[in-house]
């Protein structure tokens, strides 16, 4: 089933009102746990704080072309949810008495790449891959400590990320269905190359925190490949038709 942009706008608006983190708690984390996760915690916090202006610019251009203005509003709220994650992680870093990261090589690379990207298709597949990696990372971060506050923060993010991937998969399906046979084949190759590079960058940068959460290299790759191919499989499903940018739910 595909959902309309109005559905997603309403979903994100409602979800932003739900508070799943009890901030009356204090961090309860051992020095060893902190050493294992602190770098990655700061790096992902930084990555979640983007203002999203380049994504929003691509969304506006795309929405104007297909006649779906509600999609822009949905993307705005999607960005606000990501910023909520960054805010919660940053608050936790503050409570640890640590300084928030101002730069990180992975975040810098991703930001430089997106400055040159105005394609909704490339934005969408990139977000799908990164959000899939985020699911694996935040589950590992949850499992890496016994801190109730950090676990609540991770659980909140994981709830949101499941819907984020569904939102992006549906849009990717719409974009993909408009392609011809050879264009689809070439696109799948490009998606795979982007996936391959991204997952190895995530593992290289955050393997210590992932291992602390019980995720070794083979486990990480297996989970990521499963998520990626689930998204690719969804592209080929007969789930509805598109008329002038609006979704007709099957």
């Amino acid at each position: 089933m595909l959902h309309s942009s109005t559905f997603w706008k309403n979903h994100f608006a409602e979800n932003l009102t739900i508070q799943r983190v009890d901030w009356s708690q204090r961090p309860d984390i051992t020095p060893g746990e902190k050493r294992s996760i602190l770098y990655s915690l700061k790096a992902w916090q930084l990555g979640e704080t983007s203002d999203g202006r380049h994504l929003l610019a691509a969304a506006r251009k795309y929405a104007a072309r297909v006649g779906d203005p509600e999609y822009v509003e949905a993307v705005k709220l999607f960005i606000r949810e990501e910023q909520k994650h960054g805010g919660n992680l940053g608050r936790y870093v503050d409570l640890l008495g640590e300084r928030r990261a101002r730069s990180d090589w992975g975040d810098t690379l991703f930001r430089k790449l997106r400055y040159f990207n105005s394609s909704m298709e490339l934005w969408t597949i990139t977000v799908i891959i990164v959000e899939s990696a985020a699911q694996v990372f935040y589950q590992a971060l949850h499992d890496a400590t016994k801190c109730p506050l950090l676990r609540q923060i991770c659980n909140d993010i994981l709830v949101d990320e499941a819907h984020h991937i569904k939102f992006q998969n549906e849009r990717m399906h719409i974009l993909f269905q408009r392609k011809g046979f050879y264009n689809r084949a070439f696109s799948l190759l490009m998606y795979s190359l982007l996936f391959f590079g991204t997952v190895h960058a995530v593992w290289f940068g955050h393997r210590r925190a992932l291992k602390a959460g019980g995720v070794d290299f083979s486990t990480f790759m297996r989970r990521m490949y499963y998520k990626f191919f689930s998204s690719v499989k969804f592209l080929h499903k007969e789930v509805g038709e598109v008329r002038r940018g609006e979704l007709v739910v099957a």
Side-chain angles (χ1 to χ4, degrees):
M1 175 182 291
L2 296 179
H3 299 89
S4 68
S5 295
T6 300
F7 169 89
W8 284 112
K9 181 188 74 172
N10 293 336
H11 164 79
F12 290 135
E14 180 180 356
N15 194 52
L16 281 164
T17 68
I18 301 173
Q19 177 59 261
R20 302 187 185 95
V21 181
D22 178 8
W23 288 105
S24 67
Q25 303 175 92
R26 300 288 298 179
D28 182 14
I29 185 171
T30 68
E33 290 172 343
K34 182 177 174 180
R35 284 192 298 272
S36 295
I37 69 168
L38 187 59
Y39 167 77
S40 292
L41 176 63
K42 289 183 177 183
W44 282 81
Q45 187 277 326
L46 179 64
E48 300 274 17
T49 59
S50 170
D51 60 13
R53 67 181 182 275
H54 293 92
L55 170 57
L56 200 53
R60 288 193 178 104
K61 179 180 177 181
Y62 164 79
R65 188 175 77 250
V66 301
D68 187 6
E70 290 288 271
Y71 180 66
V72 177
E73 300 306 311
V75 170
K76 286 180 181 178
L77 292 167
F78 162 77
I79 292 169
R80 281 184 58 191
E81 280 201 356
E82 294 290 355
Q83 292 170 339
K84 179 195 74 172
H85 300 166
N88 286 345
L89 292 168
R91 189 171 177 180
Y92 186 80
V93 171
D94 295 342
L95 289 173
L96 289 175
E98 296 286 342
R99 292 184 178 181
R100 302 187 189 191
R102 295 185 177 181
S103 64
D104 175 73
W105 68 268
D107 179 70
T108 299
L109 177 62
F110 183 64
R111 289 176 190 261
K112 286 185 180 297
L113 288 173
R114 66 193 178 198
Y115 288 160
F116 301 102
N117 177 26
S118 61
S119 164
M120 200 67 246
E121 178 187 5
L122 186 54
W123 264 112
T124 305
I125 189 61
T126 301
V127 171
I128 288 170
I129 295 169
V130 173
E131 298 279 81
S132 296
Q135 283 187 313
V136 178
F137 171 77
Y138 285 116
Q139 185 61 59
L141 187 64
H142 172 282
D143 297 341
T145 86
K146 297 185 182 301
C147 176
L149 178 56
L150 182 56
R151 288 188 163 200
Q152 284 185 3
I153 293 170
C154 291
N155 282 333
D156 177 61
I157 294 174
L158 288 167
V159 169
D160 291 347
E161 298 291 12
H163 291 105
H164 290 182
I165 291 176
K166 175 65 173 171
F167 171 58
Q168 301 295 348
N169 275 343
E170 290 185 2
R171 187 55 52 175
M172 199 69 223
H173 182 277
I174 296 168
L175 295 164
F176 194 75
Q177 294 308 307
R178 297 182 175 185
K179 294 175 175 289
F181 175 80
Y182 292 106
N183 199 358
R184 288 187 184 189
F186 178 76
S187 295
L188 288 173
L189 174 61
M190 294 300 101
Y191 302 162
S192 299
L193 292 173
L194 179 61
F195 167 79
F196 184 84
T198 301
V199 295
H200 283 84
V202 171
W203 173 257
F204 177 78
H206 304 288
R207 61 191 181 278
R208 184 176 184 184
L210 288 163
K211 288 179 179 179
V215 179
D216 60 14
F217 178 78
S218 61
T219 301
F220 177 72
M221 291 299 169
R222 183 173 65 252
R223 292 179 182 177
M224 287 303 303
Y225 272 89
Y226 173 80
K227 291 177 180 295
F228 178 69
F229 285 113
S230 293
S231 292
V232 170
K233 183 179 179 181
F234 185 77
L235 295 179
H236 296 85
K237 283 188 175 182
E238 295 293 333
V239 293
E241 59 183 72
V242 185
R243 295 176 185 166
R244 296 174 59 190
E246 297 296 332
L247 299 184
V248 179
V249 179

